[in-house]
Amino acid sequence: MSALRIAFNSLNQHKLRKLCLMTQSTAYKLIRKRKMETKKYRELLNRKATKRNMVLAQNAVADPSDELPSEGKIWKATKHKDVSRSIHFFLWMMVHDSYKIGRYCDKISGSEQQGVCEKCGVTESMDHIMTKCTEPGQEQVWGLASDLWKLKTGAELPKPTTAQIMACAAIKRRDAGTTRLFRILVSESAFLVWRLRNERVINKENPTSARAIHNRWLKLINNRLGLDRAMTNEHKYGKRAVKKTLVLKTWCKVLKNEDDLPKDWTRETEVLVGIG
């Protein structure tokens, strides 16, 4: 057998082993990613709803004295490094208005009632889910985000619009640290609101208690804080590492017992946000 044939067989066996070890979730993500990259799929998504949301997102970012940001900037923001990878697809779908909620259900025989919020009695929309629904979830989540934001800035965080959520990673605040915390708070909070809705509507679970919502939100934000601390390790993460100065600026003023922490707390193990 030629050396080329041996190398070819070895490569195929390696790929087969990787395929066998692949989880169903990973396989689905790879298939979805490949589908999203096809020209046909992108053309199907280039419709009125996408264009409408794009304009809303652009206006949410634009300063009154500046020109609208490009569409490319908005799309790039949905995959921004300040946003968790698990949330990239969520923001991308929001811009495309591709979640099957509300009036979409009217087109499916027998599913008409699923498009109506049981608690509020109105047609579901992303705006309703994110900012208006009276079911346990959005009101408390945004309240917690505002509490942490107030520690950082001294001012409450107004509940973001759906346009601001879609474009959160393109919106700038007064400095790099404040901007980054804004992106983290808005993206993580919005995705939690979405998951709470799905657990209730799709999985038919009972509404989550106020205490459970509080604990889940706090865990999410503390996990992001912990990830930030870990990602400052340049020896481990190389070019993917986050600058220590940026992490310190992001979380300053919002940490628990911050005055007792060393100036560089990124190597400390028990660092948490200051609401609990």
Side-chain angles (χ1 to χ4, degrees):
M1 185 180 292
S2 68
L4 182 61
R5 176 65 63 84
I6 293 173
F8 180 77
N9 289 339
S10 177
L11 179 62
N12 282 341
Q13 289 174 5
H14 176 67
K15 288 182 177 179
L16 183 61
R17 283 196 298 271
K18 288 181 68 176
L19 186 62
C20 291
L21 293 172
M22 185 182 297
T23 64
Q24 184 176 357
S25 175
T26 302
Y28 172 75
K29 289 176 182 177
L30 289 173
I31 293 170
R32 184 181 69 188
K33 183 176 184 294
R34 179 163 293 185
K35 180 181 178 181
M36 288 165 57
E37 291 173 348
T38 63
K39 182 179 179 181
K40 182 179 179 181
Y41 189 78
R42 291 184 179 278
E43 287 176 348
L44 286 172
L45 290 173
N46 186 25
R47 60 196 199 282
K48 289 182 179 179
T50 303
K51 293 178 179 178
R52 180 184 66 245
N53 282 344
M54 177 57 69
V55 172
L56 291 173
Q58 288 173 306
N59 279 285
V61 174
D63 186 278
S65 61
D66 295 335
E67 295 182 359
L68 289 178
S70 67
E71 291 187 5
K73 183 175 182 178
I74 300 300
W75 289 125
K76 188 175 181 180
T78 64
K79 298 181 180 180
H80 198 282
K81 61 183 179 181
D82 290 341
V83 177
S84 298
R85 285 189 177 184
S86 58
I87 303 177
H88 289 173
F89 183 66
F90 168 69
L91 296 178
W92 187 87
M93 288 286 283
M94 277 189 71
V95 177
H96 278 303
D97 196 21
S98 292
Y99 282 114
K100 296 173 175 57
I101 58 176
R103 290 188 174 86
Y104 180 90
C105 297
D106 294 341
K107 304 174 184 178
I108 305 174
S109 178
S111 300
E112 293 83 359
Q113 292 302 314
Q114 293 183 17
V116 177
C117 176
E118 290 185 3
K119 181 71 177 292
C120 305
V122 300
T123 300
E124 264 199 329
S125 65
M126 193 57 76
D127 181 57
H128 177 77
I129 293 167
M130 288 291 136
T131 66
K132 295 182 174 65
C133 186
T134 57
E135 284 279 16
Q138 64 86 14
E139 195 68 40
Q140 186 176 3
V141 167
W142 294 122
L144 289 165
S146 182
D147 289 344
L148 197 67
W149 186 253
K150 192 171 184 178
L151 291 177
K152 180 73 170 179
T153 66
E156 294 183 353
L157 177 68
K159 188 183 296 184
T161 64
T162 50
Q164 289 172 328
I165 293 170
M166 290 187 289
C168 64
I171 295 174
K172 293 184 179 181
R173 294 297 179 175
R174 62 190 182 194
D175 56 60
T178 308
T179 293
R180 191 162 180 271
L181 183 64
F182 173 83
R183 293 169 176 173
I184 291 171
L185 283 180
V186 172
S187 60
E188 296 287 347
S189 297
F191 194 45
L192 176 58
V193 171
W194 176 245
R195 284 185 293 173
L196 289 169
R197 177 265 179 193
N198 290 345
E199 290 166 7
R200 187 180 66 252
V201 175
I202 298 176
N203 299 343
K204 303 300 181 183
E205 298 177 10
N206 292 327
T208 309
S209 69
R211 172 50 58 181
I213 292 171
H214 180 279
N215 291 342
R216 283 180 66 174
W217 183 88
L218 199 59
K219 183 178 180 180
L220 279 174
I221 303 304
N222 277 322
N223 283 347
R224 278 305 308 267
L225 170 58
L227 179 62
D228 263 11
R229 288 193 294 105
M231 289 297 295
T232 61
N233 190 331
E234 294 181 355
H235 294 292
K236 184 174 182 179
Y237 295 103
K239 293 182 179 180
R240 294 189 297 121
V242 182
K243 290 184 178 180
K244 186 181 296 185
T245 53
L246 180 58
V247 170
L248 293 172
K249 288 178 181 178
T250 299
W251 300 99
C252 71
K253 298 183 181 180
V254 302
L255 300 179
K256 191 173 184 178
N257 300 323
E258 191 164 347
D259 291 340
D260 298 329
L261 294 173
K263 188 175 181 179
D264 177 10
W265 42 259
T266 56
R267 291 293 175 265
E268 300 295 312
T269 55
E270 296 296 328
V271 181
L272 303 170
V273 294
I275 59 174

